[in-house]
Amino acid sequence: MQTSSLTALKELALQCARSAGKLSLARMKEPFTVEYKTSASDLVTAVDKEVEKHVVDMILQRYPDHGILGEESTFTGDPGKYETLWVIDPIDGTTNFVHQQINFSVSIAVYHKGEGLIGVVYDPSRDEIFHAVKGEGAYLNDQPLRLERQVHLEEALLCTSVFWNKRAEQIGIDQIVKKLAGKVRGMRLLGSAALELAYVAAGRLDGYVSLSLNAWDFGAGKIIVEEAGGRVTTMRGTPLPFDQKSSVMACNPAFYEELQHYLSMNENM
Ligand code: 2AM
Ligand code: CA
Protein backbone atom coordinates (compact mmCIF):
# COMPACT_ATOMS: atom_id res chain seq x y z
CA MET A 1 0.00 0.00 0.00
CA GLN A 2 1.24 3.51 -0.85
CA THR A 3 2.43 5.80 1.96
CA SER A 4 -0.17 8.45 1.05
CA SER A 5 -3.03 5.91 1.33
CA LEU A 6 -1.65 4.66 4.64
CA THR A 7 -1.48 8.21 5.99
CA ALA A 8 -5.09 8.87 4.94
CA LEU A 9 -6.24 5.63 6.60
CA LYS A 10 -4.38 6.51 9.78
CA GLU A 11 -5.92 9.98 9.89
CA LEU A 12 -9.41 8.53 9.52
CA ALA A 13 -8.74 5.86 12.17
CA LEU A 14 -7.59 8.56 14.63
CA GLN A 15 -10.59 10.73 13.77
CA CYS A 16 -13.04 7.82 14.22
CA ALA A 17 -11.50 6.88 17.58
CA ARG A 18 -11.67 10.43 18.95
CA SER A 19 -15.19 10.96 17.66
CA ALA A 20 -16.39 7.62 19.07
CA GLY A 21 -14.78 8.38 22.43
CA LYS A 22 -16.40 11.80 22.58
CA LEU A 23 -19.80 10.25 21.84
CA SER A 24 -19.34 7.61 24.59
CA LEU A 25 -18.43 10.31 27.12
CA ALA A 26 -21.47 12.38 26.17
CA ARG A 27 -23.85 9.40 26.36
CA MET A 28 -22.37 8.33 29.71
CA LYS A 29 -23.84 11.45 31.30
CA GLU A 30 -27.38 10.53 30.22
CA PRO A 31 -29.45 7.47 31.24
CA PHE A 32 -28.81 4.48 28.93
CA THR A 33 -30.12 0.91 28.78
CA VAL A 34 -27.91 -1.99 29.81
CA GLU A 35 -28.58 -5.54 28.62
CA TYR A 36 -27.02 -8.89 29.51
CA LYS A 37 -25.27 -10.48 26.53
CA THR A 38 -24.49 -14.02 27.72
CA SER A 39 -24.69 -13.47 31.50
CA ALA A 40 -24.90 -10.82 34.21
CA SER A 41 -21.13 -10.31 33.85
CA ASP A 42 -21.24 -9.80 30.07
CA LEU A 43 -22.88 -6.45 29.38
CA VAL A 44 -23.81 -4.45 26.31
CA THR A 45 -25.45 -1.02 26.29
CA ALA A 46 -27.36 0.98 23.73
CA VAL A 47 -24.27 3.21 23.64
CA ASP A 48 -22.04 0.35 22.36
CA LYS A 49 -24.39 -0.09 19.41
CA GLU A 50 -24.82 3.61 18.70
CA VAL A 51 -21.08 4.28 18.82
CA GLU A 52 -20.30 1.36 16.53
CA LYS A 53 -22.89 2.58 14.01
CA HIS A 54 -21.30 6.04 14.19
CA VAL A 55 -17.84 4.62 13.37
CA VAL A 56 -19.15 2.34 10.62
CA ASP A 57 -20.89 5.31 8.98
CA MET A 58 -17.71 7.41 9.15
CA ILE A 59 -15.65 4.64 7.53
CA LEU A 60 -18.12 3.78 4.77
CA GLN A 61 -18.69 7.40 3.89
CA ARG A 62 -15.00 7.67 3.03
CA TYR A 63 -14.29 4.08 1.91
CA PRO A 64 -17.51 2.41 0.67
CA ASP A 65 -15.52 -0.59 -0.62
CA HIS A 66 -13.95 -1.46 2.75
CA GLY A 67 -15.22 -4.21 5.09
CA ILE A 68 -15.78 -3.87 8.83
CA LEU A 69 -15.62 -6.49 11.57
CA GLY A 70 -17.18 -5.00 14.71
CA GLU A 71 -18.23 -6.50 18.01
CA GLU A 72 -21.82 -5.28 17.66
CA SER A 73 -22.15 -6.57 14.06
CA THR A 74 -23.48 -3.26 12.72
CA PHE A 75 -21.83 -3.91 9.34
CA THR A 76 -23.89 -6.47 7.48
CA GLY A 77 -21.40 -7.65 4.81
CA ASP A 78 -19.19 -10.74 5.09
CA PRO A 79 -15.90 -9.43 6.58
CA GLY A 80 -13.94 -12.26 4.93
CA LYS A 81 -14.66 -10.86 1.47
CA TYR A 82 -12.81 -7.55 1.75
CA GLU A 83 -9.18 -6.77 0.94
CA THR A 84 -9.16 -3.93 3.45
CA LEU A 85 -10.87 -4.72 6.73
CA TRP A 86 -11.48 -2.41 9.68
CA VAL A 87 -11.62 -4.27 12.99
CA ILE A 88 -13.42 -2.28 15.67
CA ASP A 89 -14.70 -2.40 19.21
CA PRO A 90 -16.69 0.77 19.99
CA ILE A 91 -16.43 0.24 23.76
CA ASP A 92 -13.89 -2.24 25.02
CA GLY A 93 -14.57 -2.63 28.72
CA THR A 94 -18.33 -2.09 28.80
CA THR A 95 -18.46 -3.27 32.43
CA ASN A 96 -16.05 -0.46 33.34
CA PHE A 97 -18.03 2.01 31.23
CA VAL A 98 -21.16 1.15 33.23
CA HIS A 99 -19.61 0.84 36.70
CA GLN A 100 -16.50 3.02 36.75
CA GLN A 101 -16.92 5.50 33.92
CA ILE A 102 -13.15 5.13 33.31
CA ASN A 103 -10.94 2.27 32.05
CA PHE A 104 -12.77 1.67 28.78
CA SER A 105 -11.51 2.32 25.27
CA VAL A 106 -12.30 2.52 21.57
CA SER A 107 -10.28 0.03 19.53
CA ILE A 108 -9.82 0.51 15.78
CA ALA A 109 -7.49 -1.43 13.50
CA VAL A 110 -7.03 -1.57 9.74
CA TYR A 111 -5.92 -4.84 8.15
CA HIS A 112 -5.02 -5.15 4.46
CA LYS A 113 -4.80 -8.61 2.86
CA GLY A 114 -4.60 -10.07 6.37
CA GLU A 115 -1.74 -7.84 7.48
CA GLY A 116 -2.22 -5.39 10.36
CA LEU A 117 -1.35 -1.89 9.16
CA ILE A 118 -2.86 0.52 11.67
CA GLY A 119 -3.85 0.25 15.32
CA VAL A 120 -5.56 2.93 17.41
CA VAL A 121 -6.72 2.56 21.03
CA TYR A 122 -8.33 5.65 22.54
CA ASP A 123 -9.11 6.14 26.23
CA PRO A 124 -11.61 9.03 26.19
CA SER A 125 -11.79 9.44 29.98
CA ARG A 126 -8.08 10.28 30.11
CA ASP A 127 -7.81 11.66 26.58
CA GLU A 128 -4.97 9.23 25.78
CA ILE A 129 -4.59 7.92 22.25
CA PHE A 130 -2.26 4.99 21.58
CA HIS A 131 -1.52 4.48 17.92
CA ALA A 132 0.81 2.72 15.50
CA VAL A 133 1.35 2.26 11.79
CA LYS A 134 3.21 -0.88 10.73
CA GLY A 135 6.90 -0.07 10.30
CA GLU A 136 6.53 3.46 11.70
CA GLY A 137 6.59 2.84 15.47
CA ALA A 138 4.05 3.25 18.23
CA TYR A 139 2.96 6.41 20.03
CA LEU A 140 1.01 7.57 23.06
CA ASN A 141 -0.35 10.93 21.93
CA ASP A 142 2.87 12.41 20.42
CA GLN A 143 5.30 10.41 22.56
CA PRO A 144 7.10 7.47 20.90
CA LEU A 145 6.75 4.14 22.75
CA ARG A 146 9.74 1.81 22.82
CA LEU A 147 10.14 -1.23 25.07
CA GLU A 148 13.87 -0.89 25.62
CA ARG A 149 14.06 -1.74 29.31
CA GLN A 150 15.04 -5.38 29.91
CA VAL A 151 12.46 -6.75 32.34
CA HIS A 152 12.91 -10.06 34.17
CA LEU A 153 9.77 -12.07 34.83
CA GLU A 154 10.30 -11.67 38.60
CA GLU A 155 10.14 -7.88 38.30
CA ALA A 156 7.24 -7.79 35.85
CA LEU A 157 3.83 -6.23 36.43
CA LEU A 158 1.39 -8.51 34.62
CA CYS A 159 -2.25 -8.16 33.79
CA THR A 160 -4.88 -10.80 33.05
CA SER A 161 -8.55 -11.42 32.44
CA VAL A 162 -8.54 -15.18 33.03
CA PHE A 163 -10.16 -14.98 36.47
CA TRP A 164 -13.65 -14.20 35.17
CA ASN A 165 -13.38 -16.59 32.26
CA LYS A 166 -15.27 -19.85 32.84
CA ARG A 167 -13.21 -21.74 30.28
CA ALA A 168 -10.04 -20.81 32.17
CA GLU A 169 -11.35 -22.71 35.17
CA GLN A 170 -12.41 -25.69 33.04
CA ILE A 171 -8.95 -26.11 31.51
CA GLY A 172 -7.00 -25.10 34.62
CA ILE A 173 -5.22 -22.06 33.18
CA ASP A 174 -6.57 -19.97 36.08
CA GLN A 175 -4.38 -22.04 38.44
CA ILE A 176 -1.31 -21.52 36.26
CA VAL A 177 -1.90 -17.76 36.19
CA LYS A 178 -2.51 -17.79 39.94
CA LYS A 179 0.90 -19.44 40.46
CA LEU A 180 2.39 -16.91 38.08
CA ALA A 181 0.97 -14.12 40.24
CA GLY A 182 3.16 -15.38 43.09
CA LYS A 183 6.24 -15.36 40.87
CA VAL A 184 5.99 -11.85 39.39
CA ARG A 185 6.05 -8.44 41.08
CA GLY A 186 2.34 -7.86 40.72
CA MET A 187 -0.83 -8.80 38.89
CA ARG A 188 -3.54 -6.40 37.71
CA LEU A 189 -7.03 -6.83 36.20
CA LEU A 190 -8.22 -3.81 34.23
CA GLY A 191 -11.09 -5.25 32.16
CA SER A 192 -10.39 -3.69 28.76
CA ALA A 193 -8.18 -5.93 26.62
CA ALA A 194 -7.39 -3.15 24.12
CA LEU A 195 -6.33 -0.80 26.90
CA GLU A 196 -4.31 -3.52 28.62
CA LEU A 197 -2.44 -4.20 25.39
CA ALA A 198 -1.83 -0.47 24.89
CA TYR A 199 -0.45 -0.30 28.45
CA VAL A 200 1.97 -3.14 27.65
CA ALA A 201 3.21 -1.07 24.69
CA ALA A 202 3.59 1.94 26.99
CA GLY A 203 5.48 -0.07 29.64
CA ARG A 204 2.78 0.61 32.25
CA LEU A 205 2.29 -3.15 32.30
CA ASP A 206 4.99 -5.63 31.28
CA GLY A 207 2.67 -8.36 30.07
CA TYR A 208 -0.96 -9.34 29.47
CA VAL A 209 -2.45 -12.83 29.32
CA SER A 210 -6.00 -13.65 28.36
CA LEU A 211 -8.28 -16.37 27.03
CA SER A 212 -11.17 -16.30 24.53
CA LEU A 213 -10.49 -12.92 22.96
CA ASN A 214 -11.94 -11.87 19.62
CA ALA A 215 -10.16 -9.99 16.84
CA TRP A 216 -11.88 -6.73 17.83
CA ASP A 217 -10.39 -7.05 21.34
CA PHE A 218 -6.77 -7.47 20.20
CA GLY A 219 -6.68 -6.22 16.56
CA ALA A 220 -5.42 -2.71 17.31
CA GLY A 221 -3.49 -3.48 20.50
CA LYS A 222 -1.43 -6.18 18.80
CA ILE A 223 -0.08 -3.72 16.20
CA ILE A 224 0.70 -1.13 18.89
CA VAL A 225 2.57 -3.62 21.11
CA GLU A 226 4.55 -5.01 18.18
CA GLU A 227 5.48 -1.56 16.92
CA ALA A 228 6.69 -0.68 20.43
CA GLY A 229 9.00 -3.72 20.26
CA GLY A 230 6.87 -6.19 22.24
CA ARG A 231 5.67 -9.66 21.30
CA VAL A 232 2.08 -10.86 20.85
CA THR A 233 0.98 -14.46 20.20
CA THR A 234 -1.41 -17.08 21.50
CA MET A 235 -0.36 -18.80 24.74
CA ARG A 236 0.92 -21.63 22.52
CA GLY A 237 3.24 -19.21 20.76
CA THR A 238 1.33 -19.24 17.45
CA PRO A 239 0.05 -16.19 15.49
CA LEU A 240 -3.34 -14.82 16.59
CA PRO A 241 -6.24 -16.06 14.43
CA PHE A 242 -8.94 -13.69 13.18
CA ASP A 243 -11.80 -16.09 12.61
CA GLN A 244 -12.16 -17.59 16.09
CA LYS A 245 -11.70 -16.76 19.76
CA SER A 246 -8.12 -17.08 20.92
CA SER A 247 -5.82 -16.95 23.91
CA VAL A 248 -3.50 -13.95 23.86
CA MET A 249 -0.14 -13.26 25.47
CA ALA A 250 1.60 -9.93 24.96
CA CYS A 251 4.77 -8.86 26.72
CA ASN A 252 8.12 -7.21 26.94
CA PRO A 253 10.39 -9.27 24.66
CA ALA A 254 12.92 -9.93 27.46
CA PHE A 255 10.76 -12.60 29.13
CA TYR A 256 8.55 -13.77 26.24
CA GLU A 257 10.08 -17.29 26.05
CA GLU A 258 9.93 -17.80 29.81
CA LEU A 259 6.30 -16.65 30.03
CA GLN A 260 5.29 -18.71 27.02
CA HIS A 261 6.92 -21.81 28.51
CA TYR A 262 5.03 -21.20 31.74
CA LEU A 263 1.65 -20.75 30.06
CA SER A 264 2.03 -23.65 27.63
CA MET A 265 2.40 -26.11 30.53
CA ASN A 266 -1.35 -26.50 30.11
CA GLU A 267 -2.01 -29.14 27.45
CA ASN A 268 -5.67 -28.20 26.91
CA MET A 269 -5.17 -24.64 25.79
P1 2AM B 1 -16.00 -5.92 26.10
O1 2AM B 1 -16.23 -4.92 27.16
O2 2AM B 1 -15.80 -5.30 24.76
O3 2AM B 1 -16.99 -7.03 26.09
C1 2AM B 1 -11.25 -9.24 28.11
O4 2AM B 1 -11.31 -8.92 29.47
C2 2AM B 1 -12.44 -8.68 27.40
O5 2AM B 1 -13.58 -9.36 27.81
C3 2AM B 1 -12.68 -7.22 27.74
O6 2AM B 1 -11.96 -6.45 26.85
C4 2AM B 1 -14.19 -7.07 27.66
O7 2AM B 1 -14.58 -6.61 26.39
C5 2AM B 1 -14.72 -8.50 27.80
N1 2AM B 1 -15.48 -8.79 28.98
C6 2AM B 1 -16.61 -9.52 28.97
N2 2AM B 1 -17.08 -9.66 30.21
C7 2AM B 1 -16.26 -9.00 31.04
C8 2AM B 1 -16.24 -8.77 32.46
N3 2AM B 1 -17.16 -9.24 33.28
N4 2AM B 1 -15.27 -8.01 32.98
C9 2AM B 1 -14.33 -7.50 32.15
N5 2AM B 1 -14.28 -7.72 30.82
C10 2AM B 1 -15.23 -8.45 30.26
CA1 CA C 1 -17.11 -4.09 23.28
Side-chain angles (χ1 to χ4, degrees):
M1 184 173 286
Q2 285 187 338
T3 315
S4 58
S5 322
L6 205 53
T7 307
L9 281 170
K10 177 192 160 188
E11 287 311 315
L12 182 62
L14 289 169
Q15 231 179 311
C16 286
R18 286 191 190 283
S19 181
K22 213 171 138 196
L23 185 56
S24 296
L25 283 186
R27 291 292 182 266
M28 204 165 71
K29 297 193 178 93
E30 304 160 4
F32 54 82
T33 54
V34 182
E35 292 166 26
Y36 294 176
K37 241 178 175 176
T38 53
S39 68
S41 61
D42 188 7
L43 305 181
V44 65
T45 71
V47 187
D48 295 62
K49 293 170 192 170
E50 183 190 352
V51 176
E52 182 168 302
K53 172 90 174 60
H54 175 71
V55 175
V56 166
D57 287 348
M58 279 180 83
I59 296 166
L60 293 182
Q61 199 175 11
R62 178 74 182 274
Y63 297 108
D65 58 332
H66 286 187
I68 301 164
L69 173 66
E71 177 163 23
E72 310 310 331
S73 309
T74 313
F75 179 77
T76 46
D78 174 359
K81 286 195 176 143
Y82 294 84
E83 252 197 354
T84 307
L85 184 68
W86 293 67
V87 183
I88 61 177
D89 191 345
I91 301 182
D92 185 53
T94 302
T95 311
N96 293 343
F97 175 79
V98 172
H99 284 258
Q100 303 188 312
Q101 311 207 323
I102 57 167
N103 296 325
F104 62 94
S105 60
V106 186
S107 178
I108 300 182
V110 184
Y111 281 73
H112 184 68
K113 296 182 181 168
E115 186 188 18
L117 297 182
I118 292 159
V120 177
V121 174
Y122 181 49
D123 171 352
S125 67
R126 299 182 178 91
D127 194 23
E128 288 188 326
I129 196 153
F130 302 84
H131 53 101
V133 173
K134 174 127 181 143
E136 296 180 12
Y139 293 82
L140 162 51
N141 298 330
D142 296 330
Q143 295 296 312
L145 301 175
R146 201 71 217 145
L147 294 176
E148 276 161 353
R149 195 167 59 92
Q150 289 276 313
V151 179
H152 297 286
L153 192 57
E154 289 72 20
E155 54 190 20
L157 190 59
L158 296 189
C159 190
T160 187
S161 66
V162 300
F163 297 127
W164 60 76
N165 184 301
K166 292 203 172 57
R167 193 163 166 261
E169 206 180 313
Q170 283 159 11
I171 66 176
I173 191 75
D174 61 329
Q175 291 307 316
I176 290 183
V177 176
K178 199 171 160 207
K179 259 198 209 149
L180 193 59
K183 191 175 162 65
V184 298
R185 184 168 286 164
M187 190 67 88
R188 300 288 181 268
L189 298 88
L190 288 184
S192 164
L195 207 54
E196 287 159 315
L197 288 167
Y199 281 13
V200 171
R204 292 176 181 179
L205 295 168
D206 301 302
Y208 172 62
V209 294
S210 187
L211 268 193
S212 316
L213 290 195
N214 290 291
W216 49 79
D217 297 312
F218 62 71
K222 174 183 186 292
I223 300 167
I224 300 169
V225 172
E226 288 177 344
E227 280 302 313
R231 294 193 60 183
V232 188
T233 63
T234 67
M235 289 187 198
R236 285 176 183 274
T238 54
L240 297 182
F242 258 68
D243 51 355
Q244 62 191 58
K245 283 179 183 281
S246 170
S247 65
V248 171
M249 60 169 284
C251 66
N252 184 293
F255 63 81
Y256 173 85
E257 273 84 13
E258 200 182 346
L259 181 63
Q260 205 272 311
H261 175 74
Y262 217 91
L263 295 170
S264 63
M265 288 194 302
N266 187 310
E267 291 294 313
N268 304 314
M269 227 157 38

